[in-house]
Amino acid sequence: LRRDISPLLKDPAAFGALIDLLEDHLRASFPKIDFIAGLDSRGFLIGPPLAQRLGVGFVLIRKKGKLPGPTESISYALEYGKAELEIQSDAVEPGQKVVIVDDLLATGGTMSAACELMKRLKAEVLECLVIIELKLLKGAEKLQSIPFYSLLQYD
């Protein structure tokens, strides 16, 4: 069963309402955020408008080989092999407060790798934020002590 955010993206009112909900949640939860970090690739769709609303910067966490300059990279397991994620080494400063966003949390492998990258750069991950969580796959458990928030949950 595929959960698809395309209809949300096609409807400007629905997409605006989505960003409103995420913005309200973050403003209520965290007095200070330095950056929104988005996961390749659908985190790039919700991250920038959210960062704009909050008046903060947006940083990219990408699949290996896409970012210029020095990068920090991490390899992680997928259901069907392994993958690598990268962030630019100077994307965030030690102690900066970051919220990591993506469209969907399934097994949690990609999100937990992103958290590890932030840890290596000595940033503080305030929260992992997604639109949809597939509860059955228990991805949130992989994030251990990192706060996690999802707008919609499916079993």
Side-chain angles (χ1 to χ4, degrees):
L1 182 59
R2 298 208 54 97
R3 301 290 175 187
D4 181 18
I5 64 161
S6 302
L8 259 178
L9 299 170
K10 282 171 72 174
D11 181 334
F15 187 68
L18 167 71
I19 300 299
D20 288 344
L21 287 169
L22 298 177
E23 177 190 5
D24 291 347
H25 161 72
L26 288 178
R27 284 191 188 280
S29 306
F30 306 107
K32 184 182 191 311
I33 297 169
D34 293 304
F35 289 106
I36 300 293
L39 289 181
D40 203 341
S41 64
R42 287 180 297 256
F44 299 172
L45 302 172
I46 53 176
L50 188 54
Q52 280 277 288
R53 292 271 191 94
L54 295 166
V56 303
F58 176 76
V59 297
L60 303 162
I61 298 175
R62 298 212 62 182
K63 295 177 182 93
K64 189 168 174 59
K66 305 280 189 193
L67 291 169
T71 59
E72 187 69 47
S73 73
I74 186 169
S75 182
Y76 64 102
L78 293 168
E79 309 84 285
Y80 47 84
K82 64 190 200 51
E84 277 188 89
L85 279 185
E86 285 186 325
I87 189 168
Q88 287 173 309
S89 305
D90 62 356
V92 295
E93 302 287 318
Q96 287 189 310
K97 299 175 186 311
V98 179
V99 173
I100 303 175
V101 301
D102 203 3
D103 66 325
L104 181 109
L105 187 82
T107 62
T110 308
M111 189 62 89
S112 106
C115 291
E116 182 54 40
L117 278 179
M118 284 299 171
K119 209 176 283 173
R120 288 188 196 171
L121 295 181
K122 299 180 172 47
E124 182 190 342
V125 178
L126 296 174
E127 185 173 76
C128 296
L129 175 63
V130 299
I131 302 170
I132 298 166
E133 176 186 6
L134 303 180
K135 297 284 274 188
L136 208 64
L137 298 175
K138 297 182 168 45
E141 289 173 16
K142 255 207 193 90
L143 305 175
Q144 292 145 355
S145 62
I146 294 171
F148 170 74
Y149 183 81
S150 57
L151 272 183
L152 299 169
Q153 300 81 32
Y154 293 99
D155 288 327

